[in-house]
């Protein structure tokens, strides 16, 4: 059973930064496209950023230019650098394969508030 463990969330003021990390317990990590998702209260889970096994990236329009996704295929880890955070970025953030193939982890809460 693959385990996904997200970390790095917290409370930050608007305009601030956070760096999220995702640890994956499977060696298949290096073979699959991965992504960060988020779910705000009362809303559906949405894709925030994706990264192929080779490192090509794509972003939701709402975070383009502010967030950067990266991965380490040796350590089986993926990060999300979030800059210029806005109130609307408040959500629980999750990592998974691009097609959400693995069991969801517990997520990490990001709260942007003054």
């Amino acid at each position: 059973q693959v385990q996904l463990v997200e970390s790095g969330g917290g409370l930050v003021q608007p305009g601030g930064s956070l760096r999220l990390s995702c640890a994956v317990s499977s060696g298949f990590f290096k073979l699959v496209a991965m992504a960060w998702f988020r779910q705000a209260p009362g809303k559906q889970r949405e894709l925030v950023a994706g990264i192929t096994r080779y490192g090509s990236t794509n972003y939701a329009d709402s975070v383009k230019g502010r967030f950067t996704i990266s991965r380490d295929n040796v350590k089986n880890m993926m990060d999300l650098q979030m800059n210029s955070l806005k109130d609307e970025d408040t959500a629980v953030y999750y990592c998974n394969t691009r097609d959400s193939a693995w069991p969801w982890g517990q997520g990490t809460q990001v709260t942007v508030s003054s």
Side-chain angles (χ1 to χ4, degrees):
Q1 182 87 338
V2 177
Q3 287 190 320
L4 304 172
V5 180
E6 301 92 348
S7 62
L11 173 64
V12 62
Q13 292 186 340
S17 298
L18 282 174
R19 190 175 184 89
L20 307 183
S21 292
C22 169
V24 180
S25 66
S26 172
F28 286 108
F29 173 81
K30 60 181 177 292
L31 301 176
V32 299
M34 294 292 296
W36 282 97
F37 301 81
R38 67 186 180 188
Q39 187 167 21
K43 295 188 176 181
Q44 289 190 333
R45 191 171 294 170
E46 64 174 350
L47 186 143
V48 174
I51 185 167
T52 70
R53 56 187 289 194
Y54 303 112
S56 296
T57 59
N58 66 285
Y59 299 91
D61 287 344
S62 59
V63 306
K64 205 170 291 184
R66 300 188 297 121
F67 290 11
T68 303
I69 188 172
S70 60
R71 66 189 295 164
D72 185 329
N73 288 342
V74 174
K75 296 181 178 179
N76 290 350
M77 294 196 68
M78 180 175 67
D79 287 349
L80 185 69
Q81 177 65 43
M82 306 187 297
N83 298 329
S84 303
L85 284 161
K86 304 177 180 180
D87 291 351
E88 51 264 41
D89 295 318
T90 294
V92 179
Y93 285 70
Y94 302 88
C95 61
N96 209 317
T97 65
R98 178 61 180 84
D99 56 0
S100 307
W102 289 337
W104 293 97
Q106 82 287 351
T108 186
Q109 175 71 50
V110 172
T111 303
V112 185
S113 175
S114 55

